[in-house]
Amino acid sequence: MKYRIAPSKISGTVCAPPSKSETHREMILSALSSGTSVLHNPLISYDTEATLSGIQALGAVVSQDGDTLRISGGNLHAADTCIDCKNSGTTLRLLAGVAARLSGTTRFTGDSSLMHRPMQPLLSALESCGAGVSVEGDCISVTGPVTSGAAKIRGDVSSQFVSSLLLAGISVRLTTPLVSAPYADMTVSSLVKRGVPAAKTGDRFSVPRAAHPSPREVFIGGDWTSAAYLLTLGALCGTVTVTGLNPGSLQGDVRITSILRSFGADVSFSGNQVTVSKTPLSRCSLNLSDTPDIFPAAAVLAARAEGISRIYGVSQQIYKESNRLSEVSSLLSVMGAKTALQQDCFAVEGGKLRGAEFFVPDDHRLFMAAVLAGLCAEETTEIDASNAAYDEVYAVSYPDFLRDVRLLGGNIE
């Protein structure tokens, strides 16, 4: 697909989509629970559909009625067919931990982007606990059950490795500082809410080997990561109100409001809604090691802020759906901004952005950032996403993204 984006005046209110990270975890924990769980307002997107298909292949029974999912679990088994995780790293990594609990071999595959993302630290940790693992071409096999309940793993690549081990019933000791720590904390919290006494103490995460989660009824909250792109749009182009957001959420990207204020945007709260309005933006320095998914949005903000902004904690961006350091730099450079990478710091000299033509690889967050940049540029921008695996690359995490941006006044053809 190709898109033509014109500079736009933005104004209005939209509801945040359901949380992708919460939906993944609650789907998987429901499958592990003996009984039926009810999930209200889950996110149905390409990524979460991959998880839903995965737990069904492992034996969970799923039914859907409108915005409600009923998932009956507890009688899981190794999958009879290869589980296609599509483009979802969360699906692949978390279900690998589930597979390690089960007797037999489960095979996983995915698209070319996914199969080049890091997995070896997780596979090595599972193997150290007695699981059999193998990688052949675009297929990863995990054979369980594990025989040990403790593993060491590095924390500087992905917190999903920790979450996967906890779902496998394996306690974890980190050998390096943990990035994206709020997501591991979310897994711990979700386990505790289902009766599993998981805990985090310093560089250690503990979980009982024999514990099984209990079924529960869950309402999935709004997604702060997706909302971050909408709120950033308000700071760039007008005024945006996003409803359905819990200010006390464990999602790390709740921090977007403080980031926007650091750049000088006007941010206000009213109950479960957040409003952001455009004001003159100025440089700031921030560390995104715990909130990597909002890096593309923050980089566009920096490109429109006066002065040189510095974004630290970006080294893991090379492990995402694309090399986001390289791709974001290319996007901003072709639109007239100056960028530089200095070790773990991405520097952006802000000012005006000019319209340009830009090719977007298979990366939903990068696409959304390109839309933001186009809407606040001085001329028309053309985005070419024709080589993406999906016709609507943003539907990996936010199927209604373009609809909502257009409702707010975005001129996108």
Side-chain angles (χ1 to χ4, degrees):
M1 295 287 288
K2 295 183 179 181
Y3 302 87
R4 186 176 182 272
I5 302 171
S8 301
K9 173 70 173 179
I10 296 297
S11 179
T13 300
V14 293
C15 184
S19 168
K20 182 164 78 80
S21 53
E22 289 182 17
T23 298
H24 279 301
R25 284 159 177 76
E26 294 302 338
M27 284 178 173
I28 293 170
L29 287 169
S30 297
L32 287 170
S33 302
S34 295
T36 299
S37 295
V38 181
L39 275 55
H40 299 286
N41 194 45
L43 176 69
I44 304 301
S45 69
Y46 291 150
D47 269 14
T48 59
E49 285 174 342
T51 290
L52 204 58
S53 295
I55 63 172
Q56 288 176 292
L58 293 170
V61 178
V62 178
S63 63
Q64 182 173 0
D65 181 10
D67 291 336
T68 298
L69 285 176
R70 299 178 65 86
I71 301 175
S72 299
N75 297 310
L76 302 187
H77 54 76
D80 297 325
T81 59
C82 185
I83 295 175
D84 187 353
C85 301
K86 308 293 185 182
N87 187 244
S88 177
T90 307
T91 302
L92 174 59
R93 290 165 176 167
L94 299 195
L95 289 187
V98 174
R101 296 174 63 126
L102 309 174
S103 296
T105 299
T106 298
R107 296 175 296 125
F108 299 92
T109 191
D111 65 22
S112 59
S113 169
L114 177 61
M115 300 313 291
H116 284 90
R117 295 176 68 182
M119 276 291 289
Q120 194 55 52
L122 173 59
L123 297 179
S124 295
L126 292 173
E127 193 170 34
S128 74
C129 292
V133 301
S134 66
V135 180
E136 297 180 7
D138 288 338
C139 181
I140 295 173
S141 297
V142 178
T143 303
V146 294
T147 56
S148 171
K152 296 184 291 184
I153 197 167
R154 58 188 294 188
D156 58 347
V157 177
S158 174
S159 67
Q160 290 175 354
F161 298 162
V162 173
S163 293
S164 177
L165 293 170
L166 293 175
L167 293 172
I170 296 172
S171 296
V172 181
R173 181 169 72 82
L174 299 171
T175 59
T176 61
L178 184 63
V179 296
S180 304
Y183 293 95
D185 295 340
M186 185 186 300
T187 303
V188 170
S189 175
S190 296
L191 284 163
V192 169
K193 289 175 181 177
R194 288 178 178 265
V196 177
K200 174 185 177 182
T201 306
D203 63 354
R204 297 174 185 269
F205 292 79
S206 61
V207 63
R209 278 203 66 200
H212 289 273
S214 300
R216 66 186 290 248
E217 188 169 7
V218 185
F219 182 88
I220 305 297
D223 193 307
W224 275 96
T225 308
S226 293
Y229 288 78
L230 299 174
L231 296 172
T232 297
L233 183 57
L236 294 169
C237 299
T239 298
V240 170
T241 297
V242 182
T243 64
L245 294 172
N246 174 14
S249 171
L250 289 180
Q251 297 174 52
D253 292 331
V254 67
R255 185 180 164 223
I256 185 60
T257 55
S258 63
I259 290 173
L260 289 165
R261 280 177 169 158
S262 296
F263 277 105
D266 183 10
V267 181
S268 62
F269 293 84
S270 178
N272 71 341
Q273 68 182 39
V274 182
T275 300
V276 176
S277 297
K278 179 181 177 181
T279 58
L281 301 175
S282 57
R283 67 183 182 183
C284 81
S285 295
L286 57 151
N287 190 308
L288 297 184
S289 59
D290 277 345
T291 54
D293 286 340
I294 56 177
F295 165 71
V300 176
L301 268 174
R304 292 291 288 119
E306 291 297 327
I308 299 176
S309 297
R310 290 178 170 84
I311 305 175
Y312 296 91
V314 296
S315 58
Q316 70 199 101
Q317 295 294 329
I318 65 173
Y319 301 126
K320 297 298 182 179
E321 285 85 340
S322 68
N323 180 339
R324 286 185 182 160
L325 284 180
S326 173
E327 295 294 343
V328 169
S329 178
S330 295
L331 169 65
L332 297 182
S333 296
V334 77
M335 298 185 77
K338 295 180 180 179
T339 68
L341 180 63
Q342 304 157 346
Q343 294 183 337
D344 196 28
C345 173
F346 186 81
V348 183
E349 183 175 353
K352 296 180 179 179
L353 292 177
R354 61 172 181 260
E357 295 183 11
F358 185 72
F359 170 78
V360 175
D362 216 358
D363 188 334
H364 54 131
R365 308 288 184 204
L366 183 63
F367 177 87
M368 290 191 281
V371 170
L372 299 185
L375 290 169
C376 69
E378 293 192 326
E379 303 94 11
T380 298
T381 295
E382 294 187 3
I383 300 176
D384 183 352
S386 56
N387 286 341
Y390 306 110
D391 288 341
E392 300 171 332
V393 62
Y394 51 89
V396 164
S397 58
Y398 190 172
D400 292 331
F401 174 68
L402 286 187
R403 183 206 68 177
D404 287 350
V405 171
R406 289 177 176 129
L407 286 172
L408 292 168
N411 188 340
I412 304 173
E413 298 177 0

